[in-house]
Amino acid sequence: GSALVHKFWSACFIRMSSTITDLPSDVYPLILEFLSPKDICQAAKTCKAFNEGADDALLWKNKCVERWGIDVPADLFFSKQWKAYYKRRHVSQTNVEAGRRNVRSLRGHTSFIVAFEIVGKLSVTPLVITAAADGVVRVWDAATATCKHNVPVGGDIDVNTKLVAHDQGMCAIVTAKQIRFLYTQSSAIVSTAAVS
């Protein structure tokens, strides 16, 4: 009897004298979930356990969805890049709200954009090329947000479409079926090759 009582009180004493660093590692992100992103970053500085917990992908995914709803890139939903995405978007939004960045909408596609590329150096006025599920590639003037060229390229543009741009005015539109080369100054498709 007395050995069992001693064991019980020893276990209670050990539990009472435990510190927060004795918790299982998967508990830290759950604790941090109750904090603001700023406070999460501050807690990460307190100990190794909170620092590791503050890098949890699900924690930052929840913070992104909490702040911006479902307005996050589809390719992030299964990614571990949530913390980096939160930081980039937060900094960008803070700069826009403070008037340090000028944001313009590129309006013209009738469906969602699946790929975009910037052509030209950022020190000069670059072009922005977008490919959308509506089967159209558009070339935009980034300074004025106006569509300079509108190129219907067909229905095989999907979420796997890639745009590869070159500063010399060429852009490759890579789909599952073919590669098209677009001259961005005139929006002429200069050649097409089948993907094997």
Side-chain angles (χ1 to χ4, degrees), residues 56-82:
D56 183 71
L58 186 58
L59 169 68
W60 289 101
K61 175 184 176 184
N62 291 340
K63 291 299 176 185
C64 287
V65 173
E66 181 182 298
R67 182 164 179 188
W68 296 295
I70 59 168
D71 183 22
V72 292
D75 59 340
L76 269 181
F77 269 92
F78 301 104
S79 171
K80 293 187 177 192
Q81 302 298 318
W82 287 99

Side-chain angles (χ1 to χ4, degrees), residues 129 131 137 151 153 157 161-164 171-175 178-182 189:
I129 303 169
V137 172
V151 186
V153 293
I157 292 180
T161 299
K162 303 282 186 255
L163 292 173
V164 182
C171 178
I173 305 154
V174 183
T175 65
Q178 57 188 335
I179 300 172
R180 296 179 187 91
F181 295 95
L182 169 73
I189 299 288

Side-chain angles (χ1 to χ4, degrees), residues 149-171:
H149 307 291
N150 181 16
V151 186
V153 293
D156 62 328
I157 292 180
D158 61 18
V159 293
N160 297 314
T161 299
K162 303 282 186 255
L163 292 173
V164 182
H166 189 274
D167 281 348
Q168 302 302 317
M170 293 296 292
C171 178

